[in-house]
Amino acid sequence: MNTLQLVNNEHSLNKDFKPQHLIQDSFSKIWLCREVFWAVRRINYILCKLGLEQVVIISGYRSYAYQEKLFMRKIDYFGEQGLDDEAAKIKAAQIVAMPGHSEHQLGLAVDLAVWSMKDLADPLTTDFEQTSTGKWLLQHSHQYGLILRYPKDKVTITQITYEPWHYRYVGQKAARKMYENHWCLEEYLCALKG
Ligand SMILES: [Zn+2]
């Protein structure tokens, strides 16, 4: 598995791509690549030791078909709001990744919430960054190979709005480099190419 594989608006995965070595989280029933699964396990172990709230997995691996369903649902939603097909599609694409363009299809991305927020109607809110756990993750996730994938100040590069809950596994070496240089994945890959 190439843990540095880039998936964004320009780089997509085909319909048939499915990652190998997925593990199902017994609590959330969500599937993740084993690297991410074990990283989250280790993070929760440390959070517990530090007396901080643990994280809950809200989203992990998503198939192409499932992403398509999410995308179509958003188009329908905007259609019902009175937008025409083309406008609804454009609006939907700003919020939900188009099928094949979601990192979640890689199985290397994970959306996290804190335990006390898991039952909210939408547990994925920017409030996550205000929690002690969210703050701790920002400073330490790289030690477990995870990076905040869509930082606030990288929106022009990632073309994805700020998502404090979305973490991506890239491996410890790459994660450390990105943390130290304050790079997002696109910038890191660019630097690698020289
Ligand atoms: Zn996500």
Side-chain angles (χ1 to χ4, degrees):
M1 178 103 207
N2 174 12
T3 54
L4 292 176
Q5 187 160 351
L6 184 63
V7 179
N8 58 19
N9 286 347
E10 278 98 44
H11 298 82
S12 61
L13 295 167
N14 68 41
K15 240 187 171 80
D16 304 318
F17 176 86
K18 193 186 170 183
Q20 290 177 311
H21 311 302
L22 290 168
I23 297 180
Q24 190 179 32
D25 175 53
S26 58
F27 176 76
S28 64
K29 305 291 176 221
I30 288 168
W31 295 85
L32 291 170
C33 275
R34 58 184 175 190
E35 294 92 335
V36 193
F37 177 85
W38 289 113
V40 174
R41 269 284 180 91
R42 289 174 62 207
I43 283 170
N44 268 339
Y45 175 75
I46 298 296
L47 286 170
C48 186
K49 274 180 73 170
L50 293 170
L52 296 173
E53 226 184 330
Q54 294 192 327
V55 290
V56 181
I57 298 161
I58 304 294
S59 188
Y61 166 68
R62 289 184 208 146
S63 67
Y64 184 99
Y66 185 67
Q67 190 68 30
E68 195 166 41
K69 210 161 83 181
L70 288 180
F71 187 63
M72 295 312 284
R73 210 184 285 163
K74 262 297 178 245
I75 292 180
D76 289 346
Y77 169 80
F78 286 118
E80 282 159 18
Q81 307 270 304
L83 297 184
D84 64 48
D85 289 357
E86 196 48 38
K89 197 176 164 185
I90 291 168
K91 196 99 174 131
Q94 288 168 356
I95 300 168
V96 178
M98 287 188 292
H101 290 269
S102 170
E103 250 191 8
H104 283 282
Q105 196 184 336
L106 276 177
L108 292 171
V110 65
D111 293 337
L112 301 169
V114 282
W115 191 261
S116 60
M117 286 163 72
K118 74 179 191 315
D119 296 322
L120 296 178
D122 187 4
L124 302 178
T125 74
T126 47
D127 295 343
F128 185 60
E129 70 176 4
Q130 304 299 337
T131 64
S132 306
T133 297
K135 286 178 190 162
W136 183 88
L137 271 179
L138 268 182
Q139 297 306 320
H140 301 277
S141 71
H142 66 96
Q143 292 160 359
Y144 305 87
L146 291 171
I147 52 146
L148 179 74
R149 180 66 178 92
Y150 306 118
K152 206 180 275 180
D153 57 349
K154 302 288 179 183
V155 172
T156 50
I157 302 171
T158 63
Q159 294 175 40
I160 302 281
T161 50
Y162 174 50
E163 292 189 356
W165 56 82
H166 180 114
Y167 278 81
R168 157 74 191 261
Y169 186 87
V170 290
Q172 282 178 34
K173 198 178 136 215
R176 194 182 63 234
K177 202 102 191 138
M178 290 165 68
Y179 175 80
E180 285 168 359
N181 291 288
H182 194 63
W183 284 335
C184 64
L185 181 57
E186 282 84 354
E187 290 173 300
Y188 174 72
L189 292 173
C190 206
L192 268 191
K193 276 187 222 153

